[in-house]
Amino acid sequence: MQTLDWIVLIGTLLTIVIYGTYQTRGSKNVQDFLKGGSTSKWWTIGLSVMATQASAITFLSTPGQAFHSGMGFVQFYFGLPIAMIVICMVFIPLYHRLKVYTAYEFLENRFDRKTRTLTAILFLIQRGLAAGITIFAPAIILSAILGWNLLLLNVIIGVLVIIYTVSGGTKAVNVTQKHQMVVIFTGMVIAFILILNQLPDDITFRKALDIAGASGKMEVLDFSFDFNNRYTVWSGLIGGTFLMLSYFGTDQSQVQRYLSGKSVKEMRLGLIFNGLLKIPMQFFILLVGVMVFVFYQFNEAPINFNPTATEVVLNSEYADEYKSLQIEQKQIFDAKKTAITKFSSANGTVNQDQIAIYNAQSDTIRAHARDLIEKAGDARSLKVESNDKDYVFIHFILNNLPKGLIGLLLAVILSAAMSSTASELNALASTTTIDLYKHRVGPKTDAQMVKASRGFTLLWGIMAIGVACVANLAENLIQLVNIIGSIFYGNVLGIFLLAFFFKQIKANAVFVAALITQVLVIGLFFLDKYDFINLPFLWLNIVGCAIVMTIAFILQATFKNTSIETA
């Protein structure tokens, strides 16, 4: 990090915070603070929706995912356009007609207050955890790479978000997210161009794709029904559709983005814009990761991209064994580079099997290195992240980009963290204020409600920082966020589908079914985690939805026969 990088980084972040605070100062009523005055245009809604989902985890983990596993992760988003159409046709008109502040207000109108409260609490649990992770993800990686204090980074990111979110509410979130997305798109395009420019002179973009394809990184579509594959066309279209329906249709962090629209038309256009642009955006981010992979076919990569992990193992009894692996990796790199150079110069006529063999050998060495890192950490009673997917892109940025652009790409990562965290804090505060606080304390004036909303925003911000400070890394951060969502989203979506389409189902049946379902889904997750069953987390969305609806129908019939159900 040079002086110019610090100027770009600090200047970008402070400009966003100051601009958002200034533009939205003086929000004095609930309509302005929680719904942005219902004045947002479709492009503001679309960018805000995208910025909410595209956290720092997206820009750290997704390129690393592509580096290790290729383009197949894009299938995760295949259900998004389907979900956008359903939400535009069903959810938006209903929310707009009822003039709700939160999605969960509708459930009290349809069922009763306890069902509304339960669903709001499920949202608060999973989104409260996710808010901490969106702060923690960039903080721990920047801490490891740059040597910055982890706790201080958590606090800095959280405080910057709290400043403008407490000040301006929903409108501040929407206003800042437009500029954050401009920074994000600009930074990623520049990074992509620079990666291509740093490839050897005779390696064109087409040849780079050929090299990636020869290494198995361009396999976008998987039509298999193998549950051992997390990402397939079917898991994306089926499980992904249910996840996206629940996330965009019932998660307040997203619902609040389009409830700020000035009309149903603007809301619909905003979501359609998101549906059309999201898959190409994710494809592009994955392609950046694939190009980073190609770059490291001509430039030697570390055996593990996490510098903290490398430092731990090199200062342990396993140092000599680890150094031997580094030597083996260098030998494989030289041999593979020669084969890939021949492959590219021969326009793909060289035997691709040889390249695949070198890749398999390299993967074996990296796996052995991870084992040594874990052993070294255990010997010193340290929690060390041996899986380096989340460190690949940031390593490339810091070691290969020119001055100034390093600051810009770090600003991209931190802007993404701020944008998604701001949406989450805003939604957490809105749900707490409208769905819990208001009904407990009775009617309040606008000024009192705004004051309460600001207070809850601050409270949730402090709690998110607290979660970030005690969090531990999972195998891959982007998967961790989606796993948390999948545990809760299917149940919540099933409740909403029952409310929308099955008028014969009453409150008590839904409430009891939701409680049972949540316990069952958590149980299924742990059964899969410990290999008792094989159920990838994406399928928890459809399973949870199906379970709650099935149990609700059974209970409704039982209650009807026993005259218990009256609600």
Side-chain angles (χ1 to χ4, degrees), residues 205-314:
F205 178 55
R206 176 61 183 271
K207 286 186 177 181
L209 292 178
D210 289 340
I211 292 168
S215 300
K217 304 299 181 183
M218 296 304 296
E219 297 173 2
V220 178
L221 302 178
D222 182 350
F223 288 95
S224 72
F225 287 92
D226 184 1
F227 270 35
N228 290 317
N229 295 335
R230 282 179 172 174
Y231 306 112
T232 66
V233 169
W234 311 116
S235 69
L237 284 176
I238 302 173
T241 296
F242 278 79
L243 174 60
M244 300 303 175
L245 271 175
S246 189
Y247 179 50
F248 289 98
T250 70
D251 189 306
Q252 183 62 19
S253 65
Q254 284 291 2
V255 173
Q256 194 153 347
R257 307 282 66 78
Y258 55 81
L259 286 182
S260 66
K262 64 183 299 185
S263 66
V264 169
K265 179 181 178 182
E266 298 290 341
M267 296 180 201
R268 284 172 166 169
L269 286 174
L271 283 191
I272 293 299
F273 172 76
N274 174 65
L276 292 175
L277 194 60
K278 182 63 178 179
I279 294 178
M281 186 186 86
Q282 291 299 137
F283 186 93
F284 176 72
I285 296 171
L286 286 165
L287 191 60
V288 169
V290 168
M291 290 300 107
V292 170
F293 170 83
V294 175
F295 172 85
Y296 281 119
Q297 305 312 295
F298 300 96
N299 300 271
E300 192 173 357
I303 195 170
N304 191 286
F305 284 91
N306 182 351
T308 301
T310 301
E311 181 182 354
V312 168
V313 75
L314 289 177

Side-chain angles (χ1 to χ4, degrees), residues 73-386:
F73 182 70
V74 76
Q75 296 169 113
F76 172 80
Y77 296 94
F78 281 5
L80 180 63
I82 301 171
M84 293 300 96
I85 293 171
V86 174
I87 292 169
C88 286
M89 294 175 61
V90 179
F91 290 64
I92 286 178
L94 190 56
Y95 290 155
H96 184 264
R97 186 172 69 250
L98 295 175
K99 301 186 185 302
V100 297
Y101 286 95
T102 75
Y104 316 111
E105 284 184 84
F106 161 70
L107 294 178
E108 182 172 353
N109 294 329
R110 171 63 179 84
F111 295 125
D112 59 7
R113 183 172 296 180
K114 68 177 184 293
T115 304
R116 171 186 178 177
T117 302
L118 172 63
T119 312
I121 290 172
L122 292 177
F123 163 74
L124 292 173
I125 292 171
Q126 63 91 8
R127 189 48 57 188
L129 292 172
I133 294 169
T134 55
I135 294 175
F136 172 71
I140 194 169
I141 294 169
L142 293 176
S143 173
I145 295 289
L146 300 173
W148 297 350
N149 182 274
L150 175 59
L151 295 180
L152 182 61
L153 271 169
N154 286 329
V155 172
I156 289 173
I157 296 170
V159 168
L160 287 175
V161 173
I162 288 171
I163 289 172
Y164 65 83
T165 311
V166 169
S167 173
T170 296
K171 191 172 183 180
V173 174
N174 290 349
V175 166
T176 53
Q177 283 180 328
K178 284 193 296 185
H179 299 280
Q180 286 161 334
M181 286 305 293
V182 170
V183 171
I184 288 167
F185 279 131
T186 301
M188 294 304 292
V189 170
I190 290 174
F192 182 74
I193 293 171
L194 288 173
I195 294 169
L196 294 181
N197 286 338
Q198 293 192 34
L199 294 176
D201 292 338
D202 62 332
I203 302 299
T204 63
F205 178 55
R206 176 61 183 271
K207 286 186 177 181
L209 292 178
D210 289 340
I211 292 168
S215 300
K217 304 299 181 183
M218 296 304 296
E219 297 173 2
V220 178
L221 302 178
D222 182 350
F223 288 95
S224 72
F225 287 92
D226 184 1
F227 270 35
N228 290 317
N229 295 335
R230 282 179 172 174
Y231 306 112
T232 66
V233 169
W234 311 116
S235 69
L237 284 176
I238 302 173
T241 296
F242 278 79
L243 174 60
M244 300 303 175
L245 271 175
S246 189
Y247 179 50
F248 289 98
T250 70
D251 189 306
Q252 183 62 19
S253 65
Q254 284 291 2
V255 173
Q256 194 153 347
R257 307 282 66 78
Y258 55 81
L259 286 182
S260 66
K262 64 183 299 185
S263 66
V264 169
K265 179 181 178 182
E266 298 290 341
M267 296 180 201
R268 284 172 166 169
L269 286 174
L271 283 191
I272 293 299
F273 172 76
N274 174 65
L276 292 175
L277 194 60
K278 182 63 178 179
I279 294 178
M281 186 186 86
Q282 291 299 137
F283 186 93
F284 176 72
I285 296 171
L286 286 165
L287 191 60
V288 169
V290 168
M291 290 300 107
V292 170
F293 170 83
V294 175
F295 172 85
Y296 281 119
Q297 305 312 295
F298 300 96
N299 300 271
E300 192 173 357
I303 195 170
N304 191 286
F305 284 91
N306 182 351
T308 301
T310 301
E311 181 182 354
V312 168
V313 75
L314 289 177
N315 288 284
S316 73
E317 60 185 293
Y318 303 99
D320 290 339
E321 192 173 351
Y322 193 82
K323 289 176 182 177
S324 297
L325 290 178
Q326 289 177 317
I327 294 172
E328 286 185 59
Q329 182 75 356
K330 176 69 165 61
Q331 293 170 344
I332 293 172
F333 166 77
D334 291 336
K336 185 168 66 168
K337 181 178 178 180
T338 301
I340 287 177
T341 301
K342 290 180 179 178
F343 174 83
S344 60
S345 62
N347 293 319
T349 58
V350 175
N351 186 358
Q352 296 184 28
D353 292 340
Q354 185 61 53
I355 295 175
I357 290 171
Y358 288 133
N359 283 327
Q361 292 173 344
S362 179
D363 290 343
T364 299
I365 289 175
R366 288 183 181 276
H368 192 182
R370 288 196 296 271
D371 290 338
L372 293 180
I373 290 169
E374 290 172 1
K375 290 178 181 178
D378 291 340
R380 296 173 56 182
S381 299
L382 294 175
K383 172 66 176 177
V384 182
E385 177 53 41
S386 62

